[in-house]
């Protein structure tokens, strides 16, 4: 379920952070605690065109930024060395994974894009999927609005899948580059070693 996947994400993040000496830091603890509470929070769409976007965006942005910040702190990237020190790609991974989880869940994006007033209820025969059931008579029928809501769910999941593909491709490229780099370094080391050996053998011959 959505809640379980989010909690697994948090557990992984906490495992990643647990090796840091900063864990004992009070501020660090508060950030982590806030993140934990956000993850555990059961999502309830306000079903108000005014608030839907803002409320849903908070779920997308705040945990992602917090996770990114925590990873950045762990990796010791400080503002004064920002220009000299490139931000490690691994700092972005937890944030991107969080976004993928929310997009795959569907209801956050669907809520953000809902432009009618209603109440957040379970979709008939599609539990645990929820939608904003209209409470007023609209120009369009509730069935049409439900269909639109389900299309938003699907669109959200497509975005999630695309992001997942991107992160997988990025990971594959990163692994290949790392292995190629290591191989080249090893070759360079071998060449350097051979050069040293040749030089020393030449010296022994000439002496």
């Amino acid at each position: 379920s959505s809640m379980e996947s989010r909690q697994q994400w948090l557990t992984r993040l906490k495992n990643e952070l647990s090796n840091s000496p900063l864990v004992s830091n009070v501020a660090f603890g508060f950030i982590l605690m806030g993140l934990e509470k956000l993850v555990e929070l059961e999502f309830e769409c306000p079903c108000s065109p005014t608030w839907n976007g803002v409320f849903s965006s908070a779920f997308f942005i705040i945990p992602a930024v917090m996770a990114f910040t925590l990873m950045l702190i762990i990796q010791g990237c400080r503002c004064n060395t920002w220009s000299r020190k490139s931000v490690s790609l691994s700092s972005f991974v937890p944030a991107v994974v969080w976004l993928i989880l929310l997009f795959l869940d569907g209801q956050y994006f669907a809520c953000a894009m809902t432009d009618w007033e209603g109440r957040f209820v379970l979709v008939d025969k599609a539990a645990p999927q929820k939608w904003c059931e209209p409470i007023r008579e609209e120009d369009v029928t509730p069935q049409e609005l439900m269909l639109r809501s389900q299309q938003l769910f699907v669109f959200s999941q497509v975005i999630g899948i695309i992001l997942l593909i991107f992160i997988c491709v990025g990971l594959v490229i990163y692994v290949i580059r790392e292995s190629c780099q290591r191989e080249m370094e090893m070759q360079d080391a071998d060449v350097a070693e051979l050069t040293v050996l040749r030089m020393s053998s030449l010296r022994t011959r000439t002496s």
Side-chain angles (χ1 to χ4, degrees):
S1 74
S2 163
M3 178 72 79
E4 281 171 7
S5 60
R6 288 188 324 224
Q7 282 174 340
Q8 280 172 0
W9 172 84
L10 184 70
T11 307
R12 295 259 168 89
L13 182 67
K14 282 167 88 174
N15 289 344
E16 188 76 30
L17 305 175
S18 62
N19 303 322
S20 167
L22 279 162
V23 169
S24 56
N25 186 306
V26 177
F28 188 89
F30 274 116
I31 295 170
L32 203 56
M33 194 167 70
L35 188 60
E36 203 163 341
K37 289 294 165 202
L38 259 172
V39 169
E40 287 172 2
L41 206 64
E42 189 63 54
F43 182 75
E44 284 291 329
C45 184
C47 292
S48 158
T50 316
W51 291 104
N52 288 349
V54 178
F55 189 72
S56 301
S57 299
F59 276 86
F60 277 97
I61 297 162
I62 297 167
V65 169
M66 285 168 95
F68 173 69
T69 308
L70 289 173
M71 290 300 289
L72 214 56
I73 293 166
I74 291 298
Q75 292 182 354
C77 209
R78 297 285 179 269
C79 291
N80 56 354
T81 59
W82 191 267
S83 54
R84 284 174 285 156
K85 200 170 188 177
S86 62
V87 180
S88 173
L89 280 173
S90 59
S91 302
F92 288 97
V93 174
V96 175
V97 169
W98 173 257
L99 294 178
I100 289 168
L101 286 174
L102 293 201
F103 276 119
L104 288 175
D105 182 86
Q107 63 180 351
Y108 298 86
F109 180 78
C111 173
M113 301 303 285
T114 298
D115 56 0
W116 63 87
E117 285 197 9
R119 56 197 186 96
F120 202 50
V121 294
L122 285 169
V123 176
D124 294 336
K125 299 170 188 171
Q129 205 180 81
K130 286 185 167 185
W131 78 299
C132 287
E133 186 181 58
I135 49 172
R136 289 187 191 148
E137 285 292 320
E138 303 276 341
D139 296 334
V140 284
T141 64
Q143 282 76 17
E144 284 175 307
L145 289 176
M146 186 188 277
L147 185 66
R148 199 193 298 175
S149 191
Q150 287 186 315
Q151 284 169 343
L152 289 169
F153 264 86
V154 173
F155 187 58
S156 175
Q157 287 168 341
V158 167
I159 295 170
I161 291 163
I162 290 166
L163 279 173
L164 193 58
I165 291 165
F166 267 113
I167 207 168
C168 289
V169 169
L171 199 61
V172 168
I173 292 166
Y174 177 75
V175 168
I176 291 167
R177 272 187 65 187
E178 283 291 298
S179 60
C180 287
Q181 212 169 333
R182 276 196 206 121
E183 215 168 287
M184 281 180 74
E185 280 169 9
M186 281 169 75
Q187 282 174 0
D188 289 347
D190 289 344
V191 168
E193 207 174 312
L194 276 167
T195 310
V196 169
L197 283 167
R198 278 178 190 159
M199 291 287 283
S200 60
S201 65
L202 276 167
R203 276 178 197 155
T204 49
R205 278 179 197 169
T206 51
S207 59

